[in-house]
């Protein structure tokens, strides 16, 4: 989608072309009417020519009036290049999200971009661990319902908080490399505290993912024997019993024969 300034000049150009086109049409029809009416005399065709020519003249006049009114308005200011780039990026993201797998592709692209941005810092390792745990939990989330649903919501909030903490830790670490000697000690202490918080938070998140996997395992733990196998065993025993009963009935109904000499 174009910005306001671009749309303004496009509309101005369209009105200018339309005004010129209708002026040419009105001039041609007016000239033809002026020549043909005296030549062939007044009649029904002359009325049609005059009506079409008058309509063309009116349309041309309206187009010129609209063009002058629009040209009298000041053009919208030009967009800042950064804002224009942000709008273009937002339009591209919206177009990709409308694709069937667009949301997943964008999420993976953001994950890779953030991981690359933290490369070379101590927070980058924790970010990678958090990514693995988050992807694992995302695969289990659709089956974590009922009593486990609040834990999933809490995990999502913790994921956002830990990622923000990782970015803050990486920023402090980069500033520590540039800090003068007198300010290095305080930054180093702050970086140590942030790193400890990040490590403990990621470890707690991983424990939550392990607990969620245990919940799914217990919730779907199979029985020692499958119910279908039990039913098949019962049906087999029943058929054996029926077969034995039929064999006994045949033995009773069969007449006894006298022994032959």
């Amino acid at each position: 989608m174009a910005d306001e300034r671009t749309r303004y000049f496009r509309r101005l150009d369209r009105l200018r072309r339309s005004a010129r086109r209708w002026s040419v049409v009105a001039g041609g029809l007016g000239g033809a009417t002026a020549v043909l009416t005296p030549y062939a005399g007044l009649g029904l065709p002359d009325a049609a020519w005059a009506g079409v020519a008058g309509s063309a003249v009116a349309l041309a006049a309206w187009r010129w009036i609209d063009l002058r009114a629009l040209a009298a308005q000041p053009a919208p200011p030009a967009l800042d290049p950064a804002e224009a780039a942000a709008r273009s990026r937002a339009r591209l993201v919206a177009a990709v999200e409308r694709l069937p797998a667009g949301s997943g592709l964008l999420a993976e692209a953001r994950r890779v971009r953030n991981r690359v941005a933290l490369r070379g810092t101590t927070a980058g390792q924790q970010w990678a661990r958090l990514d693995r745990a988050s992807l694992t939990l995302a695969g289990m989330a659709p089956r974590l319902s009922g009593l486990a649903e609040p834990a999933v919501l809490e995990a999502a909030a913790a994921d956002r908080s830990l990622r923000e903490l990782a970015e803050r830790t990486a920023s402090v670490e980069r500033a520590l490399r540039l800090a003068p000697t007198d300010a290095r000690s305080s930054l180093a202490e702050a970086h140590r505290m942030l790193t400890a918080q990040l490590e403990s938070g990621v470890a707690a998140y991983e424990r939550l993912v392990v607990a969620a996997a245990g919940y799914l395992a217990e919730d779907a733990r199979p029985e020692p024997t499958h119910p279908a196998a039990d039913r098949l065993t019962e049906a087999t025993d029943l058929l054996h019993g029926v077969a034995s009963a039929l064999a006994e009935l045949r033995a009773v109904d069969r007449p006894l024969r006298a022994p032959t000499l």
Side-chain angles (χ1 to χ4, degrees):
M1 184 182 296
D3 57 7
E4 294 294 332
R5 184 179 179 85
T6 303
R7 286 198 294 268
Y8 170 81
F9 283 109
R10 284 181 181 176
R11 185 183 175 194
L12 192 67
D13 188 56
R14 285 197 301 268
L15 281 175
R16 184 179 292 109
R17 290 198 304 268
S18 178
R20 291 174 179 175
R21 183 170 57 251
W22 281 110
S23 297
V24 172
V25 172
L29 291 176
T33 302
V35 172
L36 293 178
T37 299
Y39 179 78
L42 296 176
L44 187 60
D46 301 306
W49 277 107
V52 173
S55 300
V57 171
L59 283 173
W62 287 339
R63 289 294 181 268
W64 283 109
I65 292 172
D66 293 340
L67 176 62
R68 291 178 180 176
L70 183 61
Q73 300 176 6
L79 279 179
D80 182 72
E83 185 178 356
R87 291 189 179 185
S88 300
R89 185 166 54 252
R91 289 195 296 269
L92 179 60
V93 168
V96 174
E97 284 181 343
R98 286 194 292 268
L99 297 176
S103 299
L105 290 175
L106 288 175
E108 183 63 26
R110 293 190 185 101
R111 186 178 295 109
V112 172
R113 181 193 61 188
N114 293 331
R115 184 181 300 177
V116 170
L118 296 178
R119 182 178 298 174
T121 64
T122 55
Q125 301 175 358
Q126 305 303 323
W127 186 284
R129 289 175 55 190
L130 183 61
D131 264 348
R132 290 192 295 268
S134 176
L135 289 175
T136 304
L137 184 61
M140 297 186 293
R143 297 183 294 275
L144 292 173
S145 57
L147 296 176
E149 189 173 356
V152 176
L153 299 177
E154 185 65 27
D159 181 85
R160 292 190 296 268
S161 178
L162 287 173
R163 292 185 188 278
E164 182 183 356
L165 179 60
E167 292 175 353
R168 189 183 309 169
T169 305
S171 300
V172 173
E173 183 174 349
R174 295 190 187 99
L176 181 60
R177 298 170 184 173
L178 304 175
T181 307
D182 55 348
R184 190 178 297 272
S185 59
S186 60
L187 277 179
E189 180 63 21
H191 178 261
R192 186 188 62 79
M193 293 179 59
L194 290 174
T195 303
Q197 291 179 5
L198 181 60
E199 290 178 355
S200 62
V202 172
Y205 191 92
E206 290 174 339
R207 288 194 297 269
L208 175 64
V209 174
V210 173
Y215 172 83
L216 286 182
E218 291 295 332
D219 188 52
R221 182 181 293 274
E223 298 293 334
T225 58
H226 198 274
D230 291 339
R231 290 194 297 270
L232 289 175
T233 302
E234 293 174 1
T236 302
D237 294 340
L238 177 62
L239 289 176
H240 281 306
V242 172
S244 299
L246 289 176
E248 293 176 359
L249 287 175
R250 290 195 187 97
V252 171
D253 293 341
R254 186 179 300 160
L256 297 177
R257 296 180 181 179
T260 58
L261 297 178

